[in-house]
Amino acid sequence: IRWWSRSLTGARWPRPLCAAAGTGAFSPAAITTTRRHLSSRNRPEGKVLETVGVFEVPKQNGKYETGQLFLHSVFGYRGVVLFPWQARLYDRDVASAAPEKAENPAGHGSKEVKGKTHTYYQVLIDARDCPHISQRSQTEAVTFLANHDDSRALYAIPGLDYVSHEDILPYTSTDQVPIQHELFERFLLYDQTKAPPFVARETLRAWQEKNHPWLELSDVHRETTENIRVTVIPFYMGMREAQNSHVYWWRYCIRLENLDSDVVQLRERHWRIFSLSGTLETVRGRGVVGREPVLSKEQPAFQYSSHVSLQASSGHMWGTFRFERPDGSHFDVRIPPFSLESNKDEKTPPSGLHW
């Protein structure tokens, strides 16, 4: 067994993909977007590496197909592509010729940003890797409303994620069940004549068709402040009646990425939530989802999901995250403003499978 000692960037393909035997771990602390390797320093004690597949050349153009196996370039988990989504990416880091102007109903200054089409994927996460990434990425990120009177009831589907095209490091495997997830064999069928050799079952096609309203992402917002990049993906979840009024629910997924080598820690969040009804709410608090994550060169990213409800069919959110440097100084990172839009057709709860 050979340890990886060189960056995969610029390496010759194919390359062996290894995991620590018995753990399912790729030592995510040693896998980053710029240098991905395993060394004896990162090796789980008492474990050896076993080959689980062979890397393929990442696609610069086009999209990955259903059944594509991959290693996540940031979080290091194994996964499989279920299907792609075409989203509109609003990247505020990209220079725009449009003049700056205050154009959103919340009244805060914002430059006009044009969206461009970008491919994201709905994927399954290998259950063996979930314990190793749980401190940096929620592995139950997809939630939905229950179909009953309790409008506050939220349910989670474990092991589902949304990944960007550039997050994917594709690989192949000779294993007929290379990903451990309760839905893998219910959604995908092994067919050695195909490439990739896993094709969608009718179960997957029916599930996607019935549930795409609350699964499908449409807009992605991104902005970088002092080398901390914030990406936000909002989802409309549906409307419920509560105390003779309508309550509209959204979930939003946020990824924080440290693009520098300096260690920083998230300390506070500051949200502004504007509702079409005319209300403007301010929310302040320590950390996010009960954590104050550290972003370092070894572990540069943190991802989480949360929810918001309004008594109006649309609104806006924006704000800042406050980070702390090792010397005790602080700086604020902008959260790109994003819209909370409801669809005209009311969404029904998930169907087609019993969770």
Side-chain angles (χ1 to χ4, degrees), residues 231-246:
T231 303
V232 184
I233 307 177
F235 298 84
Y236 175 59
M237 298 173 62
M239 180 271 293
R240 292 291 181 269
E241 294 186 6
Q243 298 178 347
N244 298 322
S245 65
H246 291 166

Side-chain angles (χ1 to χ4, degrees), residues 12-33:
R12 290 181 297 176
W13 305 89
R15 300 280 290 176
L17 172 62
C18 304
T23 66
F26 284 92
S27 185
I31 302 174
T32 68
T33 55

Side-chain angles (χ1 to χ4, degrees), residues 78-346:
R78 285 165 289 183
V80 62
V81 170
L82 293 181
F83 38 77
W85 295 121
Q86 294 300 313
R88 292 188 302 274
L89 173 61
Y90 296 89
D91 193 342
R92 306 181 75 82
D93 300 332
V94 177
S96 173
E100 294 191 4
K101 58 182 179 180
E103 63 174 4
N104 62 68
H108 60 284
S110 176
K111 61 183 179 182
E112 182 179 6
V113 180
K114 293 184 178 180
K116 64 176 183 178
T117 301
H118 195 75
T119 303
Y120 277 72
Y121 300 91
Q122 188 90 69
V123 305
L124 294 181
I125 302 173
D126 194 307
R128 294 168 293 184
D129 297 337
C130 289
H132 305 284
I133 62 172
S134 61
Q135 295 302 309
R136 296 191 295 133
S137 178
Q138 291 179 329
T139 55
E140 294 188 350
V142 177
T143 52
F144 58 91
L145 289 172
N147 188 20
H148 52 68
D149 294 336
D150 185 357
S151 64
R152 296 171 297 177
L154 296 173
Y155 288 76
I157 299 177
L160 277 180
D161 198 5
Y162 295 90
V163 301
S164 177
H165 184 83
E166 58 267 22
D167 290 336
I168 287 183
L169 295 174
Y171 74 93
T172 60
S173 172
T174 57
D175 192 342
Q176 293 189 18
V177 187
I179 301 297
Q180 289 189 12
H181 190 288
E182 61 178 333
L183 297 178
F184 184 86
E185 292 184 89
R186 298 172 70 179
F187 280 168
L188 298 168
L189 176 67
Y190 180 76
D191 184 347
Q192 62 180 356
T193 66
K194 303 293 185 181
F198 304 99
V199 297
R201 293 181 183 268
E202 182 58 36
T203 311
L204 175 58
R205 288 189 284 264
W207 185 75
Q208 179 186 9
E209 177 64 26
K210 292 179 180 178
N211 299 301
H212 77 86
W214 58 273
L215 282 174
E216 184 173 7
L217 56 83
S218 57
D219 295 341
V220 179
H221 304 264
R222 191 160 66 194
E223 184 169 6
T224 303
T225 307
E226 296 196 35
N227 289 314
I228 305 298
R229 183 164 64 192
V230 180
T231 303
V232 184
I233 307 177
F235 298 84
Y236 175 59
M237 298 173 62
M239 180 271 293
R240 292 291 181 269
E241 294 186 6
Q243 298 178 347
N244 298 322
S245 65
H246 291 166
V247 179
Y248 298 83
W249 281 87
W250 291 264
R251 77 174 180 272
Y252 54 92
C253 301
I254 290 185
R255 183 196 289 186
L256 306 170
E257 292 179 85
N258 185 358
L259 306 180
D260 201 357
S261 59
D262 296 336
V263 177
V264 296
Q265 184 171 12
L266 190 152
R267 290 301 192 185
E268 300 176 11
R269 68 186 185 279
H270 177 202
W271 282 105
R272 304 275 279 177
I273 306 169
F274 174 79
S275 171
L276 188 64
S277 63
T279 62
L280 179 61
E281 181 181 4
T282 297
V283 178
R284 294 180 180 271
R286 297 287 296 182
V288 291
V289 292
R291 301 180 186 178
E292 297 180 23
V294 175
L295 304 183
S296 63
K297 184 177 180 179
E298 292 73 25
Q299 297 189 355
F302 180 80
Q303 180 173 292
Y304 75 97
S305 297
S306 191
H307 304 85
V308 63
S309 61
L310 300 176
Q311 291 186 334
S313 59
S314 65
H316 282 77
M317 289 181 65
W318 70 99
T320 56
F321 292 121
R322 175 154 293 185
F323 281 83
E324 182 179 354
R325 301 183 181 93
D327 62 6
S329 62
H330 294 84
F331 63 99
D332 289 335
V333 172
R334 291 184 297 274
I335 304 171
F338 57 96
S339 297
L340 301 172
E341 301 291 345
S342 61
N343 294 353
K344 294 181 179 180
D345 298 328
E346 183 177 349

